[in-house]
Amino acid sequence: MLNSLDLAKPPAETRVVVAMSGGVDSSVVAAMMKRDGYDVIGITLQLYDHGAAVHRRGACCAGQDIHDARRVAERLGIAHYVLDYESRFRDAVIERFAESYLAGETPIPCVECNRSVKFADLLETARDLGADVLATGHYVASRPLANGRRGLFRAADPERDQSYFLYATTAEQLDFLRFPLGDMAKSETRALAHEFGLTVADKADSQDICFVPNGRYTDIIERLKPGAVAPGDIVHVDGRVLGRHEGIIHYTVGQRRGLGLSVGEPLFVLKLDAEKGRVIVGPREMLGTESIRLRDVNWLGPVALDALPPEGLEVAVRVRSTRQPCPAFLRRDAEGVEIVLASAEEGVAPGQACVIYDGVDGRAQVLGGGTIRATRPVPMRETLGEGAVA
């Protein structure tokens, strides 16, 4: 007989390490595991200097969160440890975040944190503690597959689904991970928190990048990389220089407001040229992307990437966490993995994640994903003249 975590052991003999962020979701997971009779240990990570964020709403992994996690553990009567992962987090997440922005990309630090810290370093710590599984409060589902491994699926609550941020989880990690909230709605989680008598039952959800205490990520980059932010030209896609900027880190692809231009037509950021220090702008109709090239691909599909048919594979993809999966076509060639979109998507930028699913269904399986390294816009160059920017 398998227990509720799909393990052939009695709950009392099954050790579960719960990653406790101090929020309502992970606190409920710890309470559920304790209620079901598992041997539970809570771990909270201190990821950054939390002095500036102790009392800030909307953050995570700050001083108040550590305090909240400790109080929940005390109420549940479980062991609880706070681990200092500041140096690992700084090197693996914050430094890469800054370097990516300086390279003209739009990075997603939550993906890198899950990949490099939570599901790598923390997972190994859980193993060292003799854990059978590591459980988290993410809204994503993990289910057994026919091949004996575990698959990653979208959460039941589409408004809370976090599969976009977890695509980089490897098959080996999935075997050890459990996501007890994957089939629950957020309202159910909060109801359970009240039922368990947890002090965090009505605590606000984390919303910001945890290491940006004032919401201005550019301040972090300028502090980490002094002198690296250089001014440059704002250039129309037809080649005209329209103005100056104070650094490409202040712009993102798809941006319209804050350009400081007055040219009689609405313009959007189409591209960030880090090599030449230019911000390329143009009309909205040029924001459309028809295909995407990926790097650092993590593949979870049932068929190996190099065994895909020559014609490719019909899939669904998400290029933003706030967008629903859309039909696409996956191909693999000498240059790597390419995603051809069925319909053009706007505001697709290098550095973002492209997550691949087996369909657009609300319970679709995650086949993998990667970081966007290049995009191909919908062809319009022939209408711009010889001076058009490449």
Side-chain angles (χ1 to χ4, degrees), residues 139-140 153-155 157-164 318 357:
Y139 284 87
V140 68
F153 297 80
R154 294 187 66 192
D157 187 342
E159 297 300 317
R160 295 288 173 176
D161 174 47
Q162 292 175 295
S163 60
Y164 181 83
R318 289 167 85 178
Y357 301 85

Side-chain angles (χ1 to χ4, degrees), residues 219-286:
D219 292 352
I220 299 292
I221 298 170
E222 290 174 330
R223 178 170 58 83
L224 288 172
K225 307 290 183 180
V229 180
D233 291 330
I234 300 177
V235 183
H236 194 281
V237 71
D238 66 9
R240 290 176 292 150
V241 176
L242 302 180
R244 297 282 289 174
H245 65 78
E246 295 302 315
I248 62 173
I249 67 168
H250 297 283
Y251 302 86
T252 57
V253 172
Q255 178 179 337
R256 176 186 177 185
R257 299 182 183 276
L259 300 183
L261 302 175
S262 180
V263 294
E265 63 173 314
L267 296 175
F268 297 78
V269 176
L270 304 179
K271 179 181 178 181
L272 299 175
D273 184 348
E275 183 177 349
K276 297 180 180 179
R278 302 183 302 176
V279 175
I280 312 301
V281 299
R284 179 169 186 170
E285 55 264 30
M286 296 195 69

Side-chain angles (χ1 to χ4, degrees), residues 78-112:
I78 63 173
H80 178 252
Y81 303 100
V82 178
L83 304 182
D84 183 356
Y85 274 35
E86 280 194 34
S87 61
R88 304 184 203 190
F89 185 72
R90 182 178 59 251
D91 294 342
V93 180
I94 302 179
E95 289 285 345
R96 291 187 185 182
F97 174 82
E99 291 166 0
S100 182
Y101 259 110
L102 289 170
E105 298 181 337
T106 305
I108 304 175
C110 294
V111 170
E112 194 57 49

